[in-house]
Amino acid sequence: MTDRLTLHLVDPPPAPPPAVRRAPLRWRPLLSALLLAGFYALPWLRWEGRQALLFDLTARRFDLFGWTLWPQDVGILLGLAAVLATTLVLLTNLAGRVWCGHACPQTLWSRLFRWIEQAAAHCLPAAPARAAKHLLWLLVAAWTGITFVGFFSPIHGLVGTPWPPAWSGWETFWILFYAAATWGNAGFLREHVCRELCPYARVHGVFCDSDTPRMHYHARRGEPRGPRVAGLGGVQARGRGLLDPTSASDYAFRAAHEDIAGPMPHFSADRLGDCLDCGDCVTVCPMALDVRAGPHADCIGCGDCQDACDARMRAWQFPTGLIRRASPSAMQQRPPRWIRPRTLAAASTLLALLGIGLHYL
Ligand code: SF4
Ligand code: SF4
């Protein structure tokens, strides 16, 4: 069949077919598991006979691995909070929303709850899977509530008492409140928390610039997208090369806006780009985005779409990296800027805060 659009190709690289590579270690789920394990383990750590990390509100003391802060030390706590906030701003400027995608509690517990949901659906028929999912969600939420309160009230006192536990009124309230918040946020609200409730999501764009990495789809390599029979090889291997930027963004736009652009034309298999249009990157996205439509402010940079696409590329023996983290400057092949106003402002504020802290300690 004849293509109804003309392909504008540049730089066809005469590259050999890529070698099959083993899937790398999936570090993102591992990192999530480590951070969750750290949260649940921290209140159980002991230091010099006391709980290592305890904001003891009744005794009005804060134990931090042998270092004790009293009410008159509130300035140190405020200073620590300022240092952490400034570090987050600098990190956002240099690396994008890595906090959101890899360390934010909303992301970690949503991943855990989604994993429970998928494991239950995989192992059991529909009705028992639903029951098992809700039971496990409730258990995890309850233990999360107890662990959270264990940072403010000695954990051995919370779980060492016989049933029914002799929790005080405020302990009972906060355990139930935090358990309910975990269950609701991680089980049901999920990406709506990031979109509609999180203040950091509203302001993070202020800290970014054109050199801040974001998740990108390499449209020049991937378009025009479409299914094909196996064995044809990627655009490099068969010498098709990259599209020119205008054609690539035109095809990506048409594919994302069929309602106004009309259906995409049919392309013969040898003219297709490397995107198989399998939809894996969309299925796994916790924010329900299609990264191929372009960088989106709601993207939390979790990298799930990148992992899913890389797995698909490896299975087809195409080079990985069709979806990748890169700055807008890098995507336009502009050299990186090392002196940037937002970076300098955040770094100098952080240095000043650290200097003041060291002076008074
Ligand atoms: S587009 Fe990719 S990186 Fe962004 S939220 Fe979705 S899966 Fe995560
Ligand atoms: S996972 Fe990769 S190949 Fe599949 S639709 Fe997304 S970009 Fe295309």
Side-chain angles (χ1 to χ4, degrees):
M1 187 179 292
T2 314
D3 298 341
R4 280 185 274 145
L5 288 183
T6 309
L7 287 173
H8 303 280
L9 306 176
V10 294
D11 306 323
V20 184
R21 282 188 289 142
R22 253 188 327 140
L25 182 72
R26 297 203 51 210
W27 63 269
R28 287 184 233 273
L30 204 62
L31 178 65
S32 299
L34 281 175
L35 290 172
L36 284 167
F39 170 80
Y40 290 113
L42 258 182
W44 295 95
L45 297 184
R46 311 284 296 171
W47 194 274
E48 295 171 354
R50 294 182 59 85
Q51 190 168 316
L53 186 59
L54 181 66
F55 294 84
D56 192 336
L57 299 179
T58 315
R60 297 185 176 188
R61 59 181 284 171
F62 173 32
D63 288 292
L64 184 66
F65 291 91
W67 188 29
T68 304
L69 297 175
W70 301 96
Q72 61 269 29
D73 299 321
V74 68
I76 297 177
L77 278 182
L78 290 177
L80 269 177
V83 166
L84 290 176
T86 314
T87 305
L88 180 61
V89 170
L90 184 59
L91 185 69
T92 307
N93 177 263
L94 294 175
R97 291 179 75 174
V98 284
W99 162 261
C100 299
H102 299 91
C104 172
Q106 178 61 26
T107 299
L108 295 178
W109 269 272
S110 293
R111 268 189 202 276
L112 177 61
F113 274 47
R114 200 174 288 117
W115 181 81
I116 291 172
E117 189 172 26
Q118 288 165 353
H122 183 71
C123 300
L124 297 168
R130 217 171 16 256
K133 172 187 86 173
H134 283 294
L135 179 65
L136 287 168
W137 280 6
L138 281 174
L139 286 175
V140 171
W143 190 247
T144 306
I146 293 170
T147 304
F148 175 74
V149 174
F151 286 99
F152 299 90
S153 184
I155 190 90
H156 283 97
L158 290 177
V159 297
T161 55
W163 190 261
W167 295 336
S168 67
W170 77 262
E171 286 171 343
T172 308
F173 170 78
W174 283 110
I175 287 172
L176 292 178
F177 178 86
Y178 205 81
T182 304
W183 180 71
N185 287 343
F188 301 98
L189 290 179
R190 293 189 181 168
E191 74 271 14
H192 295 290
V193 175
C194 311
R195 277 215 184 96
E196 278 107 37
L197 298 177
C198 175
Y200 172 70
R202 303 274 74 76
V203 301
H204 84 277
V206 177
F207 312 137
C208 303
D209 54 35
S210 60
D211 284 271
T212 302
R214 297 166 174 85
M215 204 54 76
H216 279 280
Y217 163 65
H218 193 2
R220 294 180 64 192
R221 186 188 140 195
E223 296 296 329
R225 65 192 72 172
R228 78 284 314 262
V229 292
L232 282 176
V235 292
Q236 279 192 345
R238 66 188 133 92
R240 194 215 73 167
L242 304 179
L243 294 182
D244 68 89
T246 309
S247 302
S249 59
D250 179 45
Y251 294 145
F253 177 85
R254 291 175 63 108
H257 300 92
E258 273 200 358
D259 46 338
I260 49 178
M264 276 288 274
H266 177 83
F267 292 93
S268 58
D270 63 318
R271 308 184 85 179
L272 287 175
D274 279 354
C275 175
L276 307 154
D277 209 13
C278 62
D280 288 1
C281 53
V282 183
T283 308
V284 298
C285 178
M287 300 300 290
L289 300 173
D290 184 345
V291 67
R292 297 171 299 171
H296 197 287
D298 285 344
C299 171
I300 58 171
C302 66
D304 286 356
C305 55
Q306 184 183 14
D307 287 347
C309 187
D310 281 352
R312 186 63 78 157
M313 292 291 110
R314 275 189 291 273
W316 280 67
Q317 300 182 25
F318 291 180
T320 55
L322 181 57
I323 296 174
R324 62 178 185 229
R325 275 169 55 78
S327 69
S329 291
M331 290 302 287
Q332 291 162 16
Q333 294 173 331
R334 291 204 305 264
R337 285 180 308 150
W338 300 111
I339 300 180
R340 297 146 55 187
R342 290 178 176 91
T343 318
L344 288 179
S348 51
T349 306
L350 183 60
L351 285 176
L353 285 170
L354 289 174
I356 293 169
L358 288 175
H359 178 73
Y360 283 103
L361 278 181

